[in-house]
Amino acid sequence: MAETKNFKIPMYAVAFTVIFKLLFLLTHYIQEDAFITWRVAQNLMDYGVIGFNGNTKISASTTHLYVFVSYLFNLIFGKENFIEPLLIFNSILFTIGSLLLAHLVLKNPWHKAIFIFLIGILPPAIKISILGMEYGILFFLEMVLLYYGFKKEKKWVLIVLPVLILFTRIDTLIFLGIVFLVDIIWTKKIRWSYILGGILGISVSVAFNWFYFGEFVNNTIIAKKLLYDHHFTFAQNIQYFVLNYGNFWGMLKLPGDFNPFTIIILIFELLCFIYLIRQKEKRNYFLWMIFIFGWVKQLIFLSQKSLFDWYYWVPQILLFVPVLIFVLEQKVKRNLWLGSLIVFYIVPMLAFQTIHSIATGNGEWNYRRTIGLFLNTYEKDKNQWILLEPAGYVPYFSGLKSIDEVGLVDKQIQTEIIKDRKNYWINTVKNRKPKYLLSYNNLFEGKDAEYYKTHYKLLKEFRVKDHLKSDNKILEKIYILKPSGTDYNLYEKIRN
């Protein structure tokens, strides 16, 4: 009876953590790129095509599996009501993934319960659960692979899970590769079923891209590489790293180019990891997997100048795992260790994320969404085009066909970038003649001002400062403390 009760304690922690994090739904903080995936899913519903603009095929989303999951949620709940159920689903999957991770690295049920909750309220875990991205599913699938594939040694898991993981994101090849190498070194044997799973995963992902889209990798990867590619000297690379490393290992972004707080956390993570692997424990097998993966993933993406913070959410969590294990398993003054961790790190991180979510949710949902809603009412012809950046909230809520500056949702602009990188924006306007332009800049100033003045009129100005008010004085102080968003000018083509 006691064993059954103890067995349920981590499950209670899962339920409590999910319910606790649902409070963040009230902030309406949803990542811009989630709306790209959701529009692709709805495009599949409306046109039977995985695309973004009508019946044109394009891999505008970074994730194929999540597109199909989003498609199912749209079918079940409808376009107007699917978002909250999907976010709850993501949160549940992530938290179950943390339960499986707890089973891999801890024995005591109460330790597992505390681990699940504390992991679950770290900033990256909140963002994985609530921001609408594919990482809730991804984290769940990766932990299922480790727990049922490598701990329980289910051969079918070793075959099927790599396929699902790679179909979620192709860059998960890093995770699968690190797991493969650690497993060979640790066990001194080759799991042929896992190799088969890897081959099938790569084959399915590449074949799907090739036969459906006519490309080997997602268009999103090609577009970002094309626009953001820069040739740096060694000195510039070092400077770039120093400017940006603190955004990732420290779980929060701080202004400035030196973040001592990040260095402290980084050193503590390393010390805890070294302390744990010196013990003769079976779990070291999994600690090596997740810790090496966390480092390799971050270093690879930092080296490629990939500064989108969602790339680092899962590594941030996995690198912090040794810290929680170390603290939870202290035999002397454990309560002091745990209390100090909670008071001086977990609570400040949670407070920071809460303020960040409220402020950013205001900037995205209450501000940027307003632009899309305005256009949705103003322009009834949904076959009209808008040129803008980014391609999330505004295209989704306006329903207009869209050309984004990066080329994530429209390939033709990539041709303009290749031909003339400096002038690709104005060249796109001249060649495509979109009815609407949404720009950060005043287009009536600068070298191309005369063209814009001749062919376009300023329809409306959207300003962040106009959305920093609230009847709730606490919310208003947060909005003003951390204003989120960008000022925009909306232009409409003048009829000839």
Side-chain angles (χ1 to χ4, degrees):
M1 191 74 171
E3 280 188 23
T4 304
K5 186 177 180 180
N6 287 339
F7 176 77
K8 290 182 178 180
I9 289 171
M11 298 300 298
Y12 295 148
V14 168
F16 179 77
T17 303
V18 170
I19 293 170
F20 180 85
K21 288 201 291 189
L22 292 184
L23 292 171
F24 281 85
L25 290 177
L26 300 174
T27 68
H28 294 294
Y29 179 25
I30 301 175
Q31 181 65 41
E32 185 91 29
D33 284 47
F35 286 100
I36 297 179
T37 298
W38 295 342
R39 170 145 166 172
V40 171
Q42 293 178 357
N43 198 84
L44 179 59
M45 289 179 64
D46 297 337
Y47 298 95
V49 170
I50 299 175
F52 197 87
N53 295 311
N55 58 7
T56 302
K57 295 178 180 179
I58 185 171
S59 52
S61 173
T62 55
T63 170
H64 295 320
L65 181 63
Y66 191 45
V67 165
F68 290 116
V69 171
S70 300
Y71 170 82
L72 290 175
F73 270 78
N74 271 273
L75 281 179
I76 295 169
F77 295 98
K79 291 182 181 180
E80 301 298 323
N81 303 306
F82 82 95
I83 293 179
E84 285 79 10
L86 183 53
L87 297 182
I88 294 170
F89 177 71
N90 286 343
S91 186
I92 291 171
L93 284 188
F94 171 82
T95 312
I96 293 174
S98 68
L99 170 66
L100 297 177
L101 178 57
H103 288 331
L104 291 174
V105 297
L106 293 166
K107 297 175 183 177
N108 186 301
W110 281 103
H111 290 175
K112 292 178 182 180
I114 297 170
F115 176 91
I116 290 164
F117 180 69
L118 294 184
I119 278 284
I121 62 173
L122 290 173
I126 292 170
K127 288 183 278 193
I128 286 174
S129 301
I130 302 301
L131 265 64
M133 301 284 277
E134 65 270 19
Y135 289 94
I137 289 177
L138 184 60
F139 187 80
F140 170 76
L141 293 175
E142 290 175 341
M143 294 307 108
V144 168
L145 174 66
L146 294 184
Y147 184 76
Y148 288 103
F150 288 90
K151 183 176 177 65
K152 298 297 184 181
E153 298 187 331
K154 305 289 186 183
K155 289 187 177 180
W156 69 268
V157 173
L158 296 175
I159 296 172
V160 174
L161 265 294
V163 177
L164 296 176
I165 290 169
L166 283 164
F167 203 59
T168 305
R169 288 190 66 94
I170 195 67
D171 58 34
T172 52
L173 193 60
I174 299 170
F175 174 81
L176 297 174
I178 294 297
V179 169
F180 175 73
L181 292 174
V182 172
D183 180 59
I184 285 183
I185 295 171
W186 189 276
T187 64
K188 306 293 192 298
K189 66 179 182 181
I190 297 175
R191 298 181 195 262
W192 294 105
S193 52
Y194 186 54
I195 291 177
L196 175 60
I199 293 171
L200 286 174
I202 294 171
S203 300
V204 168
S205 298
V206 172
F208 181 81
N209 276 345
W210 178 253
F211 288 110
Y212 193 85
F213 299 109
E215 59 197 17
F216 285 114
V217 296
N218 293 24
N219 174 70
T220 52
I221 298 174
I222 297 170
K224 289 175 182 176
K225 183 70 175 175
L226 177 63
L227 189 65
Y228 299 141
D229 191 27
H230 298 286
H231 299 288
F232 284 16
T233 64
F234 178 77
Q236 287 174 322
N237 275 316
I238 296 296
Q239 183 182 15
Y240 194 86
F241 175 79
V242 170
L243 283 170
N244 292 289
Y245 83 98
N247 291 343
F248 310 116
W249 278 293
M251 294 190 188
L252 78 166
K253 295 184 177 181
L254 296 176
D257 58 0
F258 180 70
N259 186 347
F261 187 70
T262 293
I263 296 175
I264 294 170
I265 297 301
L266 179 61
I267 293 173
F268 194 47
E269 287 174 348
L270 282 168
L271 291 175
C272 290
F273 174 73
I274 293 169
Y275 173 84
L276 292 175
I277 61 171
R278 286 169 61 87
Q279 301 172 354
K280 301 301 180 183
E281 296 278 355
K282 291 182 180 179
R283 68 170 174 212
N284 291 355
Y285 172 54
F286 296 106
L287 282 177
W288 277 107
M289 287 179 178
I290 64 176
F291 206 76
I292 293 176
F293 161 70
W295 270 90
V296 171
K297 171 73 181 285
Q298 299 217 81
L299 290 175
I300 288 176
F301 274 71
L302 277 173
S303 71
Q304 297 303 305
K305 317 297 185 298
S306 300
L307 297 184
F308 301 109
D309 64 339
W310 49 87
Y311 294 143
Y312 305 88
W313 292 343
V314 174
Q316 284 173 350
I317 291 169
L318 296 181
L319 288 175
F320 197 71
V321 167
V323 174
L324 285 176
I325 299 173
F326 171 79
V327 171
L328 287 169
E329 294 188 346
Q330 286 299 305
K331 291 181 171 54
V332 179
K333 297 183 179 180
R334 178 193 301 145
N335 292 338
L336 177 62
W337 277 96
L338 183 59
S340 299
L341 178 67
I342 292 172
V343 170
F344 295 108
Y345 189 78
I346 302 292
V347 170
M349 290 294 99
L350 179 61
F352 171 85
Q353 186 58 47
T354 301
I355 293 171
H356 179 74
S357 295
I358 291 171
T360 309
N362 178 62
E364 300 291 334
W365 189 262
N366 297 337
Y367 170 57
R368 205 192 304 266
R369 184 178 65 109
T370 303
I371 305 174
L373 293 174
F374 169 80
L375 279 166
N376 185 53
T377 303
Y378 183 83
E379 180 56 71
K380 302 302 182 183
D381 182 4
K382 302 310 175 186
N383 287 315
Q384 295 296 336
W385 289 81
I386 181 170
L387 173 58
L388 79 170
E389 177 62 28
Y393 276 85
V394 176
Y396 184 87
F397 287 101
S398 70
L400 298 178
K401 291 188 174 181
S402 304
I403 309 165
D404 68 300
E405 292 180 7
V406 181
L408 300 181
V409 304
D410 182 276
K411 283 188 175 182
Q412 293 182 51
I413 199 169
Q414 295 176 26
T415 305
E416 297 294 346
I417 294 172
I418 293 171
K419 287 193 300 185
D420 186 357
R421 181 183 289 266
K422 289 184 178 180
N423 301 297
Y424 80 95
W425 217 89
I426 183 64
N427 291 341
T428 300
V429 174
K430 290 178 178 179
N431 295 334
R432 304 282 294 277
K433 297 179 173 58
K435 186 172 181 179
Y436 298 98
L437 307 174
L438 185 65
S439 176
Y440 308 120
N441 304 313
N442 182 354
L443 297 181
F444 293 162
E445 297 178 352
K447 66 174 184 175
D448 300 310
E450 289 306 314
Y451 178 87
Y452 290 119
K453 289 178 181 178
T454 303
H455 295 89
Y456 286 86
K457 65 179 180 180
L458 179 63
L459 178 59
K460 189 173 176 63
E461 294 180 342
F462 295 92
R463 297 293 181 260
V464 175
K465 63 181 177 61
D466 297 330
H467 291 264
L468 301 181
K469 297 181 178 65
S470 173
D471 293 335
N472 187 309
K473 294 304 177 183
I474 295 177
L475 291 180
E476 186 171 79
K477 287 181 179 179
I478 292 174
Y479 297 160
I480 295 171
L481 174 68
K482 194 177 184 300
S484 178
T486 308
D487 290 340
Y488 283 104
N489 297 315
L490 178 63
Y491 301 87
E492 182 181 11
K493 193 172 183 296
I494 299 171
R495 294 181 181 178
N496 297 325

